[in-house]
Amino acid sequence: MKLATLKDDTRDGQLAVVSCDLKTAVIADGIASTLQRALDDWHFIAPQLEQLYEELNEGKARHVFDFDPKRCMAPLPRAFQWADGSSYVNHVELVRKARNAEMPESFWHEPLMYQGGSDDFIGPMDDIVLGSEEWGIDFEGEVAVITDDVPMGTTPDAALSHIKLLMLVNDVSLRNLIPAELAKGFGFFQAKPASSFSPVAVTPDELSTAWEEGKLHLPLRTTWNGVQVGQPNAGVDMVFSFPQLIAHLAKTRNARAGSIIGSGTVSNKDSKKGYTCIAEKRALEMIADGEAKTPFMKFGDTIKIEMFDADGKSIFGAINQQVTQSVIKKGRHSSHS
């Protein structure tokens, strides 16, 4: 099943069921008005959405329209939780090696994870609006899952069943703001602006044998300014599976329905697979030549992140964005009561 959230001038958008080939869609308002509503009562609502999905693919659904990713918000335009892991330890190791920082042994045995802002996600084709190129604008191609209610203390084995949907992520990072923030010892904040997500979220069964043991074994294609810069396989070199990430998150607290857990930057040890974030490319340059040559993103740059199945068909649709400069209006701000 493939689900999308369409823009309708509300904060949470309108839930739609999208055909397998991403060509047509139908509004699901007779079943659930929003994706969060569906997740809150998944066991009851999901079968109804599945039936509508089957009817859509068989050409039997009513009120069908052409699916347009430009109309999409993030599948969850805002979420109760966005926790991003760092499953590809190769990525962490390269970045740390480039700055001569020691790699703690614990990084191979316990996931790194931070809690990002989840109140204002970006749609798959919306601009990435930022204030300055000096911040070191970077893209990060990732995979993410959405869960139902996960009880505190859930084990990795049990966590697998709590994964209801998967999607792609562009976890935008502001690299030049990161060092000062981490030096404070309190994690990311300003260095992590709003993330963007793929047009559709899909149920695990849509992925067939590519979804195995909580990992998605397909290449993630990243295209920067029209040039493909990476296609690492998301299932290769993933040290911590999604069930392990979920268990880590839920060790001391519950994770409620609609929680989003990210994989971290997809990275393979085979450098020929390219990169899904500029920081990794710069790290390889530093290690090889002692100098990073690849610049970060500039205003006007474009980034496209997409994943294809074994038949070459897009699974989630594409994150396809442009970086633009924010316009800060001068003058006094007023508040209204």
Side-chain angles (χ1 to χ4, degrees):
M1 177 168 60
K2 299 190 176 186
L3 303 174
T5 295
L6 304 182
K7 298 175 181 177
D8 67 350
D9 295 324
T10 68
R11 293 182 186 272
D12 299 305
Q14 174 65 64
L15 180 63
V17 176
V18 182
S19 62
C20 183
D21 60 10
L22 302 179
K23 292 183 178 180
T24 58
V26 61
I27 297 296
D29 57 354
I31 301 171
S33 57
T34 66
L35 181 54
Q36 183 60 53
R37 175 68 188 91
L39 290 161
D40 284 340
D41 198 7
W42 187 257
H43 291 295
F44 177 71
I45 292 176
Q48 299 176 62
L49 294 173
E50 285 279 6
Q51 183 177 349
L52 183 56
Y53 181 63
E54 291 178 9
E55 292 172 357
L56 177 63
N57 288 319
E58 294 170 358
K60 298 178 181 178
R62 299 176 59 191
H63 308 300
V64 176
F65 53 89
D66 292 339
F67 178 62
D68 182 1
K70 292 180 181 178
R71 294 182 57 193
C72 289
M73 305 172 79
L76 278 174
R78 52 179 177 169
F80 289 111
Q81 180 157 235
W82 160 229
D84 199 15
S86 192
S87 293
Y88 302 88
V89 183
N90 177 66
H91 168 75
V92 181
E93 188 173 38
L94 285 174
V95 173
R96 292 180 71 89
K97 185 177 181 180
R99 65 173 191 264
N100 295 315
E102 186 178 346
M103 178 76 170
E105 180 64 24
S106 62
F107 283 19
W108 293 99
H109 308 295
E110 187 173 18
L112 294 172
M113 184 173 284
Y114 81 93
Q115 191 157 18
S118 61
D119 57 328
D120 186 30
F121 292 138
I122 308 174
M125 301 190 74
D126 294 342
D127 288 346
I128 301 168
V129 183
L130 295 168
S132 174
E133 292 177 349
E134 299 303 314
W135 292 344
I137 304 166
D138 198 357
F139 52 83
E140 287 193 58
E142 305 185 12
V143 180
V145 299
I146 306 176
T147 71
D148 61 5
D149 287 320
V150 182
M152 181 174 64
T154 294
T155 65
D157 286 344
L160 183 62
S161 66
H162 290 286
I163 297 172
K164 300 307 173 188
L165 295 163
L166 292 94
M167 51 189 178
L168 304 182
V169 190
N170 179 14
D171 181 41
V172 181
S173 292
L174 305 177
R175 298 295 180 184
N176 293 339
L177 301 185
I178 288 177
E181 286 201 319
L182 293 185
K184 296 176 182 178
F186 219 55
F188 300 119
F189 197 82
Q190 291 179 335
K192 288 291 187 178
S195 299
S196 45
F197 294 83
S198 53
V200 302
V202 311
T203 48
D205 60 289
E206 289 289 326
L207 304 168
S208 187
T209 57
W211 177 246
E212 184 179 2
E213 296 182 347
K215 299 180 182 181
L216 180 48
H217 296 265
L218 287 170
L220 183 64
R221 185 178 299 177
T222 303
T223 305
W224 179 17
N225 290 333
V227 178
Q228 183 176 308
V229 295
Q231 53 176 356
N233 191 301
V236 175
D237 301 320
M238 187 180 192
V239 177
F240 304 104
S241 68
F242 279 111
Q244 288 175 301
L245 292 176
I246 294 169
H248 180 80
L249 170 65
K251 181 177 180 177
T252 60
R253 53 178 163 170
N254 299 316
R256 292 306 183 190
S259 291
I260 304 173
I261 296 89
S263 66
T265 306
V266 177
S267 175
N268 287 171
K269 293 180 180 179
D270 181 0
S271 61
K272 294 180 181 179
K273 298 295 184 181
Y275 56 93
T276 62
C277 78
I278 301 170
E280 186 165 313
K281 172 65 172 174
R282 287 168 61 89
L284 288 167
E285 292 169 347
M286 283 288 292
I287 294 167
D289 305 319
E291 180 184 5
K293 301 175 182 178
T294 302
F296 290 117
M297 301 183 83
K298 304 295 184 183
F299 296 133
D301 279 11
T302 59
I303 180 64
K304 186 176 183 181
I305 300 170
E306 195 166 11
M307 183 175 279
F308 299 87
D309 64 18
D311 296 322
K313 297 177 181 177
S314 183
I315 300 171
F316 305 91
I319 297 173
N320 196 354
Q321 302 176 285
Q322 185 175 51
V323 179
T324 62
Q325 186 172 18
S326 62
V327 177
I328 301 175
K329 296 181 180 180
K330 296 182 179 180
R332 297 176 63 184
H333 294 279
S334 61
S335 59
H336 301 276
S337 59

